[in-house]
Amino acid sequence: MSEFDVIVIGAGPAGSSAAIKLAQGGMNVLLVERGDPPGTKNVSGAVLWGDELSKVVPDWERSAPIERYVTRKEVAFLTEKSKIAISYSSQDLMERKSGKIIVRGKFDQWLARKAKDAGAMLVTGITIDKLVIDGGKVIGVMQDGDVITSDAVIVAEGANPRVLINSGLRPKLSDHDVALGIKETIKLPENVINERFNVDSKGGYASEFVLGFLDDGILSGGFLYTNRDTVSLGIVASLDRLRANGMTHSYDIMGKFEEHPFIKNLIKDGIPDEYAAHLVPEGGLASMPKLYGNGYLVTGDAAMFTFSNGMVLQGINYAITSGILAAETILENKGKISEETLSNYVNKLRNSYVLSDLYTFNGIQNVTWSDFTQKTMPKILDSVMMSMFDERGMPKKHLMQVLSAAVKSNGMKYTELISSGYRMMRKM
Amino acid sequence: MLNIVVMIKQVPDSSEVEIDPVKMTLNRTKARNVVNAADLNALEYALRIKDKVGANITVISMGPPMADAAIIECMARGADRGILITDRAFAGADTYPTGLTLAATIAKLGNVDIVFGGDETTDSSTGHVGPGVAEFLGIDQITYAKEVDYEDGYVIATRDLEDGDEIVKVHTPVLVTVLLNSNVPRHQSLRKKIDAIRKGVESWGINELGLKPEWVGLRGSPTIVRSMKAIKEPEHLHKTITLDKIDEVVADLVSKNIIKVGGK
Amino acid sequence: MKIEEKLSLLNYKTDRSYAHITIDPDICATCPDHFCVFACPANCYTLINGKLNFKYEDCVECGTCDIACSHGSVKWTLPKGDNGVIYKYG
Ligand SMILES: Cc1cc2nc3c(=O)[nH]c(=O)nc-3n(C[C@H](O)[C@H](O)[C@H](O)COP(=O)(O)OP(=O)(O)OC[C@H]3O[C@@H](n4cnc5c(N)ncnc54)[C@H](O)[C@@H]3O)c2cc1C
Ligand SMILES: Cc1cc2nc3c(=O)[nH]c(=O)nc-3n(C[C@H](O)[C@H](O)[C@H](O)COP(=O)(O)OP(=O)(O)OC[C@H]3O[C@@H](n4cnc5c(N)ncnc54)[C@H](O)[C@@H]3O)c2cc1C
Ligand code: SF4
Ligand code: SF4
C-alpha cells in the first residue's frame, strides 16, 4: 500500500490545480512545494488568460487576488527612436474580463490554500530530489534519502525540471528549449497608473514589445503589465542569440529596455521594488519530455506547455488546464494506474487547446525568434510611417512606393518581404 | 531519556518588514512569518543532544493560531511534540506575562531537564523572556551560549561575553539562551513534516495552564508604552576606496590619530 | 540602475551549509567563452583578472548557467528546503 494516492511536485498553477481536482475527487493527495509560502520562488508577467480555473474553483474570481483586468492590450515594435503599436481597447474585452493581471507571489499562495482547503496535504519549504522508480514504475518521491510512496506522481515543477532530469526522464535543457525571462516590479501610485496608462482602477494595460532596437544579433521580446500599485516590466531573451553574440550580459538587455525613451516615460518616478529571473519554455513540441509513464504525468511548464507569438505569452492557463487533465486521468484510473491507462492524458490534452495549440503553432518560435519579425519588420514599418507623416512639402507617394523604398533601404528584396510575411501570417 | 523544551516565537521576517513612510511605524503585514532565527539555533543544539544521548523534544510557542506553522517547521527539523499556547487572554502580553505563561507551560509538562530559547527575538529583541522563564521556574540559567553540549546530567556551554568566552558547566534542570548564528540549523525533512502535520500541534489555553486572566496578557503586563519614536538614521558618507589607495587612507587615519599602526 | 543595486532589492535565505551550485575551477581555467558570465541574470559569475569567480549567494535559481556552460563545469542543484531567493511579487 502506498502512503498517498498521488504526490504532486510543485504548487504553481499546474500543481495546485491538479491537487484541488484530486482532493475534490476524494483522493489522498500530498502537494509538495519548495517555496514557503508557495509563490516565493515563481516568476511570471503575469496575465492569466481565460477562465479554466472555474472548473476546480467555481467563482474563483471573487476570492482570488486579481490586480486588474486587461482593458487595453498593445503590441508594439520598438526601434531606436520609434514605437509602432497596435492598440486594442474594447468594451468586450472589459466585459468578458478574459485577461486577469495577477502577482504570482500572492496568487500562488491563494491557490495552494485552495488545495489545502479541498483536503490535500500541503507541505511547503521542501525540495523533492527525484522520483523513485522501481521496476520501471514510479512508486513515489525521494527527499534527502527518504522515500515517500504514492500510486501516482504528478510532476508540476515548472520550467527548470530538475526532478525529471535527476530521474533520467528528460535530457538537460538546451538553448532551444527555453528563453530567459527577466522581470522588474516597480512601485507607482495607483492613481498615477490609472492616469498614465489611461485605465480605470479595475482596468489594466498589458503590452508586449518587439525590441527591434537591440543590435548585434540579440533577440528579445518585452512586456509591461499594470498591477494595482506596481508595474511589471520584463524581457524574454533568446539564449542561442545571446550565446552567438557572446559579449552582452543578459541583465543589460533588461537595462536597455527600461532605458528606452518610451519605456522610461512609462515608469517615470517609479521605485524599483524587485528584480527577478526565470526560464520560459519556448521550444514547443521538439522540447517536450515524455508526458506520461508508468506512475507519473508531466504538466505545465515542466511539460513545456507555453504559447507565445509575440503578441501574448501564455503559460499559466496551459498549466492550470494540464494540471486538471492530469488529475482527471488519475481519477478515472484509480486502482489501475499503468503506463497504458495514463496514456489517456495525452488524448485529453489533444482534445483540449493545450496540445492542439502546440500542434497548430508548431514551429512558431522560428518566426517569433527571427530577424525578420524582430528587426527587419520594425525597421520597414518605421521607414514607412516616417515617410508617410514626415511633411516636407513634397508630393505624396503611393503607399506601395513608400513600402518598396523602405524595403530596399533596409537591404531586402520585395519578394523576400512577401515570402517572409506570408510565412509569418501562416504560423501565427 | 532527557526531556527538552524549546521555546520558539513566530516573527515577521525582519528583512521584509517595511517602515511606513508616513506613520513611521513598522509595517509587518506584508512580511512572511518565520521562526525567530536564534530559536532555530536553540533547536539545533537540542537536536544535537537528542542525536547524542536521546531526548524527547517539545517545542512550545505562545502566539496566535497561525503560529502553528512555525511549530510544524520545528517538528519537520526533528522535534517530537509541539504545543501552541494560544488564548485571547494572552493578547497584548509584555515580556513579564510572556515569561510567566511559558513557565507555567513548562511546569505543567513536568520533569523538564533542559529549556532552550533564543537569546532574543528579531521583532522585539528585549532578551527578557529566557531569563524570566528561568526565574519563574526557579532553575539555573545560561545566557549568550554560542556552544552547547551535554554530558552526564550537565550542560556544558560556552558563553560569548564582551571580554572573552566563559565556559560553564551546570547541572540540569537548566535554561539556556542561544546566540543567533551560533550553529547552522539542519534542514526540514519531508518525512518528518508529513508526520508532524498528521500528529498536529496541541493547543493549550489559559484554563489548561491554570492561570488567572489578571496575570496574563495585557492585564498582567506592567510595561506601559507611553509613546514610540522613529529614529532617523544619520546620513552616511559612502566612499569607495580602491585597493591601491589603501596606503594613503591608512596614513590619513594615522595622522588624525584615529588608528595606530604596529606595536603598542 | 546597476545590476548590483537591483540585486540588493532581493531577499534571500542563504544556506551557509550548502552551496547549491558549484563549478570546477580547472575546467573554467581553460574556458574559451565564459558564457556563464554573460548569461547569468544575477551576476553570480564574474571574471576577476581573467579568473572565473562564482558566488551562489546572489543566485535566483533560474537554471540558466546550467544551460549556458557547455563545458561541463557547472554542477547544478536546487537549494535545500526553502533556502535561496524569496520573491515578494515574482
Ligand atoms: C518573465 C515571465 C513572464 C511570463 N508571463 C506570463 C503571462 O503574462 N501569462 C502567462 O500565462 N504566462 C506567463 N509566463 C509563463 C508562466 O509563468 C508559466 O507558464 C507558469 O508559471 C507555469 O506554471 P507551472 O505550474 O507549470 O510552473 P511554475 O509556476 O513554475 O510552478 C512550479 C512550482 O514547483 C515548485 N518546485 C519546483 N521544483 C520543485 C521541487 N523539486 N520540489 C518542490 N517544489 C518544486 C516551484 O517552487 C514552483 O512553485 C511567464 C513566464 C515568465 C518567466
Ligand atoms: C516596551 C515593550 C512594550 C510591548 N508592548 C506590547 C504590547 O502592548 N502588546 C504586545 O502584543 N506585545 C508587546 N510587546 C512585545 C512583547 O513583549 C514581546 O513580543 C514578547 O513578550 C516577547 O519578548 P521578545 O520578543 O522581546 O522576546 P525576547 O526576550 O527577546 O526573546 C528571547 C527568547 O524567548 C523566547 N520567546 C519569546 N517570546 C516567546 C513566545 N511568545 N513564545 C515562545 N517563546 C518565546 C524565544 O526563545 C526567544 O528567542 C512589547 C515589548 C516591549 C519591549
Ligand atoms: S562555468 Fe562553464 S562557461 Fe563559465 S567559465 Fe566555467 S567552463 Fe566557462
Ligand atoms: S541559476 Fe541563474 S541566477 Fe543562479 S547562478 Fe545560474 S544563471 Fe545565475
Side-chain angles (χ1 to χ4, degrees), chain A residues 3-4 36 124 143 146, chain B residues 32 188 190-191 193 198:
Chain A
E3 188 171 344
F4 292 92
D36 185 15
T124 56
Q143 189 268 340
D146 291 331
Chain B
R32 286 183 328 139
Q188 300 179 55
L190 177 59
R191 175 73 271 158
K193 203 155 190 175
R198 287 202 176 125

Side-chain angles (χ1 to χ4, degrees), chain B residues 59-72:
Chain B
V59 167
I60 65 171
S61 183
M62 183 175 104
M66 64 168 186
D68 64 350
I71 298 178
I72 295 280

Side-chain angles (χ1 to χ4, degrees), chain B residues 205-256:
Chain B
I206 187 164
N207 294 332
E208 281 88 344
L209 294 177
L211 296 167
K212 293 208 171 119
E214 59 269 31
W215 296 350
V216 298
L218 194 57
R219 288 173 70 190
S221 296
T223 318
I224 298 164
V225 180
R226 283 183 64 185
S227 72
M228 285 218 257
K229 277 196 192 130
I231 314 241
K232 267 223 170 111
E233 223 185 308
E235 260 186 54
H236 295 282
L237 286 174
H238 290 290
K239 251 186 171 175
T240 310
I241 298 162
T242 53
L243 272 179
D244 53 309
K245 296 257 170 68
I246 203 83
D247 287 344
E248 281 174 40
V249 177
V250 172
D252 186 46
L253 292 173
V254 170
S255 76
K256 287 178 182 151

